[in-house]
Amino acid sequence: MDTALTRLVGVRYPIVQTGMGWVAGPRLVSAAANAGALGILASATMSPERLRSAVREVASRTEAPFGVNLRADAGDAGERVRIIVEEGVRVASFALAPKPELISRLKDAGVVVIPSVGARRHAEKVAGWGADAVVVQGGEGGGHTGEVATTVLLPQVVDAVDIPVVAAGGFHDGRGLVAALAYGAAGIAMGTRFLLTSDSTVPAAVKARYLAAAASDVAVTTAVDGLPHRMLRSELVASLERSGRAAALVRAVRHAAAFRRLSGLGWARMVRDGRAMRRGKGLSWSQVLLAANTPMLLKASMVDGRTDTGVMASGQVAGVIDDLPSCAELVERIMAEAAAALDRMPGGRTVG
Ligand SMILES: Cc1cc2nc3c(=O)[nH]c(=O)nc-3n(C[C@H](O)[C@H](O)[C@H](O)COP(=O)(O)O)c2cc1C
């Protein structure tokens, strides 16, 4: 299936496996890439050294193009961009709108720039700054998310920008792919669906929690880091919601110290990052501090398998997923379902 996305990045299918902290590592990304999708490494939870070795690991396992997701507001974004360029990574994906200078640096080096956004005005902004395409995530999507549903946001963004738009939030099958293309998207991006594959390194006990969840078990909370964050309901989330601001801040200080050790960032760099986050997102210092909770609470579940001490970011789509295919099986199935969905349309494939 040939779309503006497959042509732009050179993948076989218009499907993206998104960057998910602690989840989208070399194994998942190379499996997604070998399956014909665009795999994206999540780098916000990696040190720059680890990022370089992870990129090399993916490159050693696949000939296919892949991407790296990074935080545009990270103090070391420049260093990460250098690694992406030096290692010949095809796509740079951003969790927030990257600055125009960063976009041009990447584009000058031949890297395709695809920021993720959750609102029309952000899509317009990054398109104006030269982004090559944009991933737009509706409110049902996993992790940090907005309020507007994909079905409302996606056509708005498609109408507002003239670069390829990739639809995210709530996708898991071929019907969804066809629906997204009908809205004018150039493909779909999926997080939760790829987390729930046999290629994902998330511990089995954690995957079991996702498989058991109903759509109504996936809720948005601001209790983890002060920002709307979609995740599985759990005892921990309930207790974070009960515990109040002061306890959350104490926890955040502990997590900031742990994240500093893991990420290899010094305190001075973390304070600089904090300042940048404060300016970039208009946050208070306590909100900046709370941001340290997310990577550590996510690591506890996604790496250590602790469903009691970790949070499980998830899209609502977890409620309709009940198997763990390999990436290859998943992608082939989605393409077969898409073909069947097109055939079922009145007039079959001749429509349009
Ligand atoms: C466990 C998990 C971790 C995530 N971490 C990140 C991240 O580090 N950076 C990012 O840009 N998006 C992150 N996201 C959001 C996803 O990349 C993606 O946009 C979202 O999952 C799409 O919605 P879906 O889950 O309905 O497919 C995360 C999502 C999940 C479920």
Side-chain angles (χ1 to χ4, degrees):
M1 192 182 270
D2 192 30
T3 72
L5 175 68
T6 60
R7 288 192 293 275
L8 179 66
V9 297
V11 286
R12 226 172 322 142
Y13 302 122
I15 298 174
V16 178
Q17 165 261 304
T18 61
M20 293 172 278
W22 305 115
V23 177
R27 190 167 116 190
L28 181 63
V29 173
S30 53
N34 282 327
L38 177 70
I40 297 185
L41 263 179
S43 91
T45 46
M46 291 175 183
S47 65
E49 298 72 38
R50 173 67 193 130
L51 168 60
R52 195 186 286 276
S53 69
V55 165
R56 290 185 177 172
E57 207 177 322
V58 178
S60 74
R61 292 183 191 195
T62 184
E63 302 268 289
F66 63 94
V68 166
N69 175 262
L70 63 160
R71 272 185 32 219
D73 60 346
D76 59 4
E79 190 180 348
R80 287 166 193 268
V81 163
R82 186 157 51 76
I83 294 172
I84 289 172
V85 170
E86 284 172 2
E87 299 296 325
V89 173
R90 184 82 188 107
V91 174
S93 132
F94 288 93
L96 288 167
K99 294 272 175 317
E101 307 79 73
L102 218 50
I103 299 183
S104 10
R105 214 176 120 195
L106 285 158
K107 288 187 63 167
D108 289 348
V111 181
V112 175
V113 180
I114 310 185
S116 290
V117 298
R120 181 181 59 183
R121 65 181 192 287
H122 295 152
E124 287 168 341
K125 193 166 72 176
V126 294
W129 287 346
D132 295 292
V134 71
V135 171
V136 53
Q137 177 171 329
E140 55 269 68
H144 289 119
T145 204
E147 283 181 355
V148 183
T150 303
T151 44
V152 175
L153 185 60
L154 176 59
Q156 253 192 341
V157 173
V158 165
D159 288 345
V161 298
D162 52 14
I163 53 176
V165 175
V166 181
F171 294 97
H172 69 108
D173 66 2
R175 285 176 301 185
L177 171 57
V178 170
L181 296 176
Y183 274 116
I188 53 170
M190 304 185 294
T192 307
R193 180 61 274 194
F194 276 104
L195 183 156
L196 293 170
T197 58
S198 57
D199 294 305
S200 126
T201 53
V202 170
V206 176
K207 287 180 184 169
R209 287 290 293 265
Y210 281 82
L211 294 178
S216 54
D217 296 328
V218 188
V220 172
T221 181
T222 55
V224 173
D225 60 12
L227 300 170
H229 206 166
R230 191 177 284 289
M231 58 185 64
L232 297 189
R233 289 183 201 278
S234 66
E235 281 291 304
L236 174 68
V237 174
S239 90
L240 291 174
E241 283 177 341
R242 279 193 308 269
S243 71
R245 192 76 163 178
L249 286 172
V250 170
R251 202 178 304 111
V253 172
R254 207 163 13 92
H255 287 149
F259 188 62
R260 187 187 67 83
R261 279 194 302 277
L262 266 178
S263 63
L265 296 173
W267 281 116
R269 171 53 71 71
M270 283 185 64
V271 170
R272 272 210 303 282
D273 270 24
R275 249 190 232 125
M277 268 176 86
R278 223 179 136 228
R279 274 199 308 270
K281 295 193 204 164
L283 302 179
S284 66
W285 269 112
S286 63
Q287 282 172 312
V288 169
L289 189 56
L290 284 173
N293 279 328
T294 298
M296 296 320 295
L297 290 173
L298 207 53
K299 175 177 176 289
S301 51
M302 301 300 148
V303 179
D304 306 333
R306 298 288 304 265
T307 54
D308 54 340
T309 56
V311 297
M312 290 164 277
S314 175
Q316 286 181 331
V317 75
V320 295
I321 294 174
D322 55 12
D323 62 355
L324 298 170
S326 68
C327 287
E329 287 163 349
L330 175 66
V331 169
E332 291 302 327
R333 183 168 84 196
I334 290 176
M335 295 314 297
E337 288 166 350
L342 283 169
D343 284 339
R344 273 198 311 273
M345 298 265 187
R349 281 162 185 271
T350 54
V351 165

